[in-house]
Amino acid sequence: MILIDYISTILLLAGAIFFLAGTLGLLRFPDVYTRLHALTKADNVGLGLMVAGLALQAESLAAIGKLLLIWALVLLAGGSVAHLVASGALKRGVPWWKR
Amino acid sequence: MQTLYFTLALFLLLNLGAGMWRVLHGPTAADRMLAAQLFGTTAVAVLLLLAQATDNAALRDVGLLFALLAAVTAVAFVRRAWPNREAKHDPD
Amino acid sequence: MKALKIKIHWPSIVSRGLLFSLIWWFLTDGAAASWWIGVPAVLLAATVSTVLVPPVPLAWFELLRFVLFFLTRSLLGGVDVARRAFQPNMPINPDLVEYSLQLPPGLPQVFMANIVSLLPGTLCASLHQNVLKVHVLDKQTDFLTELKTVEQHVARILNLSLHNP
């Protein structure tokens, strides 16, 4: 293994931890809004870190570009989906949890 | 690296499976809608890992399509598959 | 109904053409033969897009600054929510707050609403008549400063001025 492989490995593993955090939040958090927080933010960071780790291993500059494009698309979709689900829940009167 | 890619892809798949518990159990319909978000990111990550592991660049394009479809499925879910309790307020 | 007034705006056709070329290059993995389709497709897309989505005056330097701000904040957002999800006592204290937008309706507000959900501790729950309903994960955090900073960023990118209430 060369240095770049080590950096990749660290980024990929860190990404996996964020995905785990997203799922943990999804299972543990008390209402749909807080679960959306967890899923949206943690998974997007997880994917971002994985994309970074994979980009270091990619065969060409264009492939790196494609990876970044995919991440940007997921970010864009993630923001809209979170808003869509949250506003749908609010409109239908899904109560939000308070401590 | 190959082993790492496959292990992580499997890990993400298990992660997705655990997340499905929430989607299946609800309790509200809104929780079911979270599936769109969960799949949107996790499936893309799995596909990108597999693309690298199997040296199959086409899988990356599948990931790209999943990223594009995530938004569309979410709109379809929220607009069509989500029972509306206050139907009178809905203009559609 | 007003007829669509077609006005060719060369600078934006050129800049969008460059952007679309870059995307085409990514999508095709730089395959040289693909440009036979790529060049006409890019030209067509650039021209049509300037008619369908009229050019907005973007401050490029501000956009770059915003991208850096956004990347660091969304990374922190992930760290923040992950920390709360991992901790056994789950330190969350959610609330639903209203934020009056000073940005004009349309693209600026939608842009802002989309970004808010990816920043630490905030989730945009509805956007209606210049009021953004924001679900915050922890009401003790300084989410108000965060929202104001984002709004100022958006205003600077789009060359807008915020009227202070």
Side-chain angles (χ1 to χ4, degrees):
Chain A
M1 283 221 326
I2 49 170
L3 180 65
I4 219 159
D5 287 352
Y6 282 111
I7 300 175
S8 270
T9 307
I10 291 169
L11 287 169
L12 289 170
L13 288 175
I17 291 172
F18 277 99
F19 272 104
L20 179 65
T23 303
L24 216 57
L26 182 63
L27 296 178
R28 291 187 70 201
F29 281 0
D31 67 358
V32 69
Y33 306 102
T34 47
R35 285 171 200 145
L36 259 177
H37 274 279
L39 205 54
T40 309
K41 294 188 243 289
D43 279 15
N44 276 330
V45 171
L47 185 64
L49 289 170
M50 286 207 167
V51 159
L54 289 170
L56 291 177
Q57 305 285 330
E59 67 279 3
S60 67
L61 219 54
I64 296 176
K66 193 185 277 182
L67 285 170
L68 291 177
L69 188 66
I70 292 170
W71 185 52
L73 279 173
V74 171
L75 271 188
L76 205 70
S80 324
V81 173
H83 173 66
L84 213 59
V85 175
S87 68
L90 203 63
K91 208 171 74 184
R92 288 166 179 81
V94 177
W96 39 282
W97 182 86
K98 258 187 130 162
R99 187 174 287 281
Chain B
M1 291 303 279
Q2 224 86 347
T3 327
L4 178 70
Y5 297 142
F6 280 121
T7 316
L8 284 179
L10 185 65
F11 171 78
L12 288 183
L13 209 60
L14 293 175
N15 215 28
L16 187 72
M20 283 311 284
W21 185 90
R22 173 60 69 202
V23 174
L24 294 175
H25 283 75
T28 65
D31 291 297
R32 258 180 269 284
M33 300 297 148
L34 294 174
Q37 192 81 311
L38 183 68
F39 275 85
T41 37
T42 314
V44 171
V46 170
L47 285 163
L48 294 182
L49 283 166
L50 289 181
Q52 196 72 33
T54 59
D55 232 339
N56 186 354
L59 283 178
R60 232 174 255 150
D61 296 325
V62 182
L64 183 82
L65 277 180
F66 265 64
L68 285 171
L69 282 176
V72 182
T73 32
V75 175
F77 260 9
V78 171
R79 280 287 159 128
R80 299 275 166 247
W82 196 344
N84 207 331
R85 248 182 278 157
E86 300 141 324
K88 60 181 191 298
H89 292 309
D90 205 31
D92 304 328
Chain C
M1 212 171 120
K2 219 170 75 178
L4 196 64
K5 204 173 153 195
I6 295 182
K7 212 173 137 198
I8 303 283
H9 187 262
W10 288 106
S12 57
I13 292 187
V14 172
S15 57
R16 287 184 198 193
L18 286 173
L19 178 69
F20 293 159
S21 305
L22 191 68
I23 293 175
W24 183 271
W25 181 60
F26 292 161
L27 290 179
T28 56
D29 281 324
S34 77
W35 287 104
W36 285 107
I37 301 293
V39 172
V42 164
L43 288 176
L44 195 66
T47 314
V48 171
S49 83
T50 52
V51 177
L52 294 178
V53 186
V56 268
L58 280 178
W60 291 102
F61 177 68
E62 292 297 339
L63 186 64
L64 193 71
R65 269 183 57 187
F66 172 73
V67 169
L68 289 178
F69 164 84
F70 175 74
L71 287 180
T72 44
R73 295 309 292 174
S74 66
L75 183 65
L76 282 175
V79 172
D80 173 68
V81 86
R83 186 178 59 81
R84 293 173 200 273
F86 275 123
Q87 274 183 38
N89 61 341
M90 223 164 38
I92 56 170
N93 194 358
D95 202 359
L96 194 70
V97 297
E98 290 192 351
Y99 182 78
S100 295
L101 288 166
Q102 292 171 40
L103 287 167
L107 178 81
Q109 288 191 356
V110 173
F111 185 44
M112 163 115 188
N114 244 311
I115 287 158
V116 163
S117 300
L118 294 166
L119 296 176
T122 52
L123 176 75
C124 174
S126 92
L127 169 61
H128 190 58
Q129 289 185 335
N130 302 327
V131 173
L132 203 63
K133 276 196 182 141
V134 182
H135 185 270
V136 295
L137 201 52
D138 186 348
K139 61 182 170 197
Q140 259 100 51
T141 55
D142 194 9
F143 54 86
L144 212 60
T145 313
E146 180 92 19
L147 291 172
K148 279 191 182 133
T149 314
V150 180
E151 198 173 23
Q152 276 156 9
H153 267 289
V154 176
R156 281 202 296 264
I157 294 170
L158 298 170
N159 286 315
L160 299 165
S161 56
L162 299 174
H163 53 91
N164 285 306

